[in-house]
Amino acid sequence: MTSPYPILAILGILVVVMTLAAGLIWLERRLLALWQDRYGPNRVGPFGLLQVLADMIKIFFKEDWIPPFADKVVFVIAPAIIVGTVLMSFAVLPIAPGIIVSDLNIGLLFILGMSSIGVYSVVLAGWASDNKYSLLGGLRAAAQMLSYEVFMGLALMGVVLLAGSFQLSEIVSAQRRVWFVVPQFAGFILFLIAGVAETRRLPFDLPEAESELIAGFHSEYSGMKFGLFFVGEYLGVILISSLITILFFGGWMGPVLPPIIWFVLKMMFFICFFILLRAALPRPRFDQLMSWGWKVMLPLALANLLITGAVALAWG
Amino acid sequence: MLSTIRTLWYVFLHMFHKRVTIQYPDEKAYLAPRYRGRIILSRDPDGGERCVACHLCAEACPVDCIALQATEDENGRRYPEFFRINFSRCIFCGFCEEACPTYAIQLTPDTEMGEYKRPNLVYEKDDLLINGEGKYPGYNFWRVSGVKIGGKDKGEAENEGPPVDVHRLLP
Ligand code: SF4
Ligand code: SF4
């Protein structure tokens, strides 16, 4: 089911995803404003849409400064890792029938692996900056993302059990009769929470907690390197939203409208939900975050997997 | 967990609330008449300068942004030769207005004083002096004070009796 013109698919997905990530900055600011009874950016162009462009021009012309005390090579590589890994993950996402770069038969594992590599970006950025706040941010990121990744994987195993495959397009096809959100509701909630933690967005933005750590792991970054972290975060949001859509909400499937529209609609819904989370929830304390992860989420994920396995076995 | 969901819902409902932003340049915020903004120097009902160059405002000013020089006209009325306020330092505290014995210096509800060059924020007397009486119409310092000036001798001010001859013993 791979696309007949892989180059076209690659370029198309790359361009669309990057534009979307930039556009999300605008969307997020507008939506946050809407939920906080403000307007947000509405001056530049229609509805303030050109604000994105203005911000881009600005960030491109910012001084790109590497602190003299930083570990230069690692400092430069770190922001590239996050964007690289997230973009790699997009390669295996089936957007619509035929619109996919590479339909790996272990697609899900690939994405989990890539997001694990993505942790390095944050940790290395914190380490290479040679700044205590950055280091604290990096440490937090390592602890948080590793522990949340554990049950993120476990929460998805229920879906894999039901679909009988790691291949994302297979998983979508397996939801022809009923979306996996119904039999795997617990898995969906767990994955949602883990996904937010994985993208380091509020309420799980402890690695960059402005009020405690200045900007956490990217305190020392400026110019386009900071921009890459920023874009990486939004790419992560798009990725997690797409994953939720694909794994639990039937991907491109839906009546009447063409598949790609359905996919984008479902994905946008979850992106907006991510933004709503940011608008509404305060940040937990770090020890609360960790104990919540290990003492609540992990046992729940295990129980979910156990029950799903038992039911799947019983029904053959 | 439940409270989290409730929070989410309440925040979501804010979508349908009225926005509180005032879109400033298109839409002006209401500034109360006693708002402390651009400073002016007012005049008497009969058109003379109210300021008597007493330096009290300059003394009261916490950031020392008022500079003036006193002089006297042919009638013996004191007035400032120059009067300069550096608005790039002024913090609009209103202390000068409180200190002024003649209601000359007043703050007005105008805040739109933006400039591209800092020196343009130094206002001279010409820029400060207005042709009206500001917030205290009808008040004329020289008419209520006992000071003698040309055209008004001792004892001729409002509510003032004729001067007492201190050398006479009779009451
Ligand atoms: S408002 Fe305050 S700071 Fe400004 S001139 Fe008057 S006393 Fe000085
Ligand atoms: S403005 Fe008022 S306080 Fe200041 S010098 Fe003139 S009379 Fe005195």
Side-chain angles (χ1 to χ4, degrees), chain B residues 22-23 35 42 54 56 58 61 64 72 75 77 79 89 95 99 104 106 133 140 145 155 169:
Chain B
I22 294 170
Q23 305 254 36
Y35 192 89
S42 56
C54 65
L56 284 179
C61 180
D64 276 352
E72 242 173 56
N75 287 328
R77 271 177 73 135
Y79 72 95
R89 281 212 244 155
F95 286 3
Q106 294 177 9
E133 299 157 63
N140 189 335
S145 80
L169 287 171

Side-chain angles (χ1 to χ4, degrees), chain A residues 219-238:
Chain A
S219 303
E220 298 288 351
Y221 281 86
S222 62
M224 207 47 217
K225 294 204 194 67
F226 170 77
L228 277 186
F229 276 120
F230 214 64
V231 169
E233 180 182 324
Y234 284 100
L235 284 176
V237 173
I238 302 178

Side-chain angles (χ1 to χ4, degrees), chain A residues 42-86:
Chain A
N42 63 350
R43 293 272 143 183
V44 199
F47 302 106
L49 259 174
L50 295 182
Q51 183 72 39
V52 176
L53 208 64
D55 285 348
M56 294 255 261
I57 293 172
K58 179 184 155 211
I59 209 162
F60 269 116
F61 284 94
K62 283 267 175 186
E63 183 183 2
D64 193 4
W65 191 66
I66 300 177
F69 45 80
D71 184 342
K72 298 217 168 41
V73 181
V74 183
F75 190 83
V76 174
I77 291 178
I81 295 179
I82 188 157
V83 177
T85 51
V86 178

Side-chain angles (χ1 to χ4, degrees), chain B residues 74-165:
Chain B
E74 63 279 7
N75 287 328
R77 271 177 73 135
R78 277 168 65 95
Y79 72 95
E81 193 174 351
F82 66 80
F83 196 108
R84 191 174 292 145
I85 299 183
N86 183 350
F87 279 112
S88 72
R89 281 212 244 155
C90 177
I91 55 173
F92 299 103
C93 59
F95 286 3
C96 47
E97 181 171 0
E98 280 182 38
C100 182
T102 65
Y103 294 147
I105 195 164
Q106 294 177 9
L107 281 80
T108 59
D110 172 20
T111 54
E112 298 173 338
M113 313 172 58
E115 294 283 359
Y116 284 104
K117 294 206 187 86
R118 214 158 238 269
N120 291 349
L121 280 168
V122 178
Y123 282 35
E124 295 293 340
K125 197 165 111 181
D126 281 349
D127 310 317
L128 295 167
L129 207 57
I130 60 164
N131 277 333
E133 299 157 63
K135 286 181 244 183
Y136 304 96
Y139 179 77
N140 189 335
F141 173 74
W142 295 105
R143 292 282 149 230
V144 290
S145 80
V147 186
K148 169 184 165 204
I149 52 166
K152 187 205 85 172
D153 209 350
K154 282 242 180 257
E156 291 177 7
E158 290 165 21
N159 306 325
E160 194 185 19
V164 179
D165 182 354

Side-chain angles (χ1 to χ4, degrees), chain A residues 140 202-206 212 282-289:
Chain A
R140 283 181 175 190
L202 263 158
F204 295 121
D205 72 335
L206 284 119
E212 310 157 28
R283 185 187 300 136
R285 235 167 41 216
F286 192 65
D287 58 316
Q288 289 171 336
L289 180 86

Side-chain angles (χ1 to χ4, degrees), chain A residues 189-271:
Chain A
I189 297 293
L190 289 170
F191 181 73
L192 190 68
I193 294 171
V196 180
E198 199 57 27
T199 49
R200 302 181 310 282
R201 301 247 328 154
L202 263 158
F204 295 121
D205 72 335
L206 284 119
E208 45 189 296
E210 291 92 349
S211 39
E212 310 157 28
L213 298 182
I214 311 178
F217 63 90
H218 54 45
S219 303
E220 298 288 351
Y221 281 86
S222 62
M224 207 47 217
K225 294 204 194 67
F226 170 77
L228 277 186
F229 276 120
F230 214 64
V231 169
E233 180 182 324
Y234 284 100
L235 284 176
V237 173
I238 302 178
L239 179 70
I240 297 291
S241 306
S242 314
L243 268 183
I244 295 175
T245 308
I246 289 170
L247 296 171
F248 295 100
F249 286 84
W252 65 74
M253 285 195 256
V256 189
L257 296 173
I260 184 131
I261 303 280
W262 271 111
F263 186 86
V264 171
L265 276 181
K266 292 176 189 171
M267 189 185 72
M268 282 320 268
F269 175 81
F270 284 105
I271 289 177

Side-chain angles (χ1 to χ4, degrees), chain B residues 26-54:
Chain B
D26 311 335
E27 209 185 308
K28 298 264 159 55
Y30 168 72
L31 297 181
R34 299 209 295 184
Y35 192 89
R36 300 198 304 264
R38 182 167 58 86
I39 298 174
I40 51 108
L41 288 173
S42 56
R43 284 180 191 273
D44 280 345
D46 33 285
E49 280 175 45
R50 264 181 181 162
C51 176
V52 295
C54 65

